[in-house]
Every structure is written in structure tokens, then in C-alpha cells.
Amino acid sequence: MSVTARPSDLAYDRVRHVVPEVEWATFADDIDAIHALKREHDAVILAHNYMTPEVFHGVADIVGDSLALAREAQTVEAGTIVLAGVHFMAETAKLLNPGKRVLLPDLRSGCSLAESITPEQVRELRAQHPGVPVVTYVNTSAAIKAESDICCTSGNALAVLESLGVPEVIMIPDQYLARNIAAQNGIRVITHPGACEVHERFTPLDIIGIRQGHPGVQVLAHPECPPDVVAEADFAGSTAQMQAYVERERPERVALITECSMSDNVAAANPDVDFVRPCNLCPHMKRNTLSAIRAALEQGRHEITLDPATARDARRAIQRMLEVA
């Protein structure tokens, strides 16, 4: 008699490099239930690169950085999208799929960047710098996007700025991303004092210590890190760009200066690369547990709704971005 593998068995085959078998056994029931619930409710799971491996490899249908998820959200045929990420990502999925149900597993999944700025502050910046376009990082609420001319991600920020053909922009809310991108193209940026609570904790001394302890290591940093951290790295880029670098260059040893689940997920696809793992966790991302995702599908929680006028203006800024890169 043949035995049919459960979804959890197949998922474990994909992630055995990063999740011990004894630990995986604690995830199996939730994983099987989630796969069944996806079929029952015509749902797909979009998961950010910072998800833990059991979510990223075990139940996600589409994975990537914020740019990839924004693009892929437009191609989803299922009636329900579960966004395993943070609140602004779920809003973006809803903006691009207004006719679909978008669920966020845990409403506490916020973002220090999104919370660092208000619509009133954006309007004040416009008043102080009349005629200067506002470029807004996708790590913001729909209300902030609605006040903007165009959005960007860490992966396409340079292309977005250059597409505007202007010498000066207001780039919000991440002061470090703005300064790191401006250093590449000479465009003057007017910034806002926002920062990612994960990436701003890294220091140049962290990288120096990694190099001293692991000779020959290649260091890849996220551009949300402070500029002096980026300056110490061998490469700076979005999570997708870091993954592409590892797959293209095949370094013998590498350190990813970003949220630490990223290393787990890239390591699963690159078992021949030795990953040095400095660990700064995003508490908001980590609220997307298997049990929270299961409950979201079972109970239809927490559905994202947006004010129609806000959604219209925010959607315009996102679509302008997607037309560029």
C-alpha cells in the first residue's frame, strides 16, 4: 500500500537544513491544517523574507521582499490573501487587490518606520519645500502613501529617485535609507528622523567584530542600516538583492546585516555557504506564527479595510512606483 506524504513532510524536505527534525514535529499539525484551510478558503499566503523558516518554507505560497510581494500581490487569483508580514504590507496587498479579502494574522504586527511619521508631518514638509516631490518608502501606512507622489522600496529606491529627473526630493520616513541612496546618485534628499528599530541597532563595531572572528567573511548590509555601517560592508542591498548576491557570488562565508531570520531562509537554499549570524529580531514580524496564521484562516481575522479616498491616492503612489521598477 502506498503512503501519501503529508504537506508537512514535503515542507520539511525543503527546510531540513535549517529546522531540526525534533523541532519540526511541533509544527506539523499546524502546517497540515493551514494547507487544508488554504484549499477550503481559496487562500494564498504571502510571506516576507523575515518570516521564520517554518512559515517561510512550510506554508508560504509566495515569498520575497516588500517589492516582490507588492508585485506578486497583483497576480494572485485566490480570493483571500494572508499576509505574513507587518501591517503596512497587508495594506499594500489590499491597495493592489481591492476586491480581495486580505488578512493579517496579528494586528500587533506594526513597524517603527510606519509609526514614525504622520500625514500632518508630510504636509508640513511639503509646505516647507514647495514643489519638491515626496518619495515615500513602502514601510508606511496607506495614509502616508496617500500624501505622497510616489513610493519606493529598498530594492528600487535608486531607480525611483532617478526616474523623477529632479535635483532634490523629500524622502521619508527612513533617514538612513534616504542618505544611503543619495550617496549613490548625488540627488539631495530632505529626510525625516525615522529609522528601523532592527537595523539602527547595528554598528560599525559589530561588523569589525564579525570580520575579526571570521576571517574572509563577506558582509552584506541592508540600506536601512546607518551609513557608517553600510560603509563597513562589502555590499548593500534589499533582502532580495542580498539573496541574489549570495546565489550569484557563492561566497564561502557571509554575514547578512539585517533581521536574523533572513539568514535562516537564505541558508536553506544555499547549504554550501557558511552563514555568520548576527541576530537582531523584529518583534513585529515574529508575531506571524503558525498558530496565528491558522487562526486567521479559521476565523477570517484580521481583515484589512481602507478608507476609499485614502486607498485611491495611496494606490496611485504605489502604481507609479511599479511602473518605474
Side-chain angles (χ1 to χ4, degrees), residues 95 123 126 134 136 141-151 306-321:
L95 288 168
R123 291 193 284 270
R126 280 196 185 275
V134 175
T136 294
S141 68
I144 300 301
K145 293 180 176 72
E147 296 287 341
S148 311
D149 294 297
I150 190 170
C151 290
L306 297 169
D307 170 74
T310 299
R312 179 198 62 223
D313 293 342
R315 187 178 302 115
R316 181 193 63 240
I318 293 172
Q319 288 175 336
R320 283 194 65 190
M321 172 190 76

Side-chain angles (χ1 to χ4, degrees), residues 117-134:
I117 192 167
T118 65
E120 292 74 21
Q121 289 173 314
V122 182
R123 291 193 284 270
E124 288 173 5
L125 283 167
R126 280 196 185 275
Q128 294 165 7
H129 306 278
V132 178
V134 175

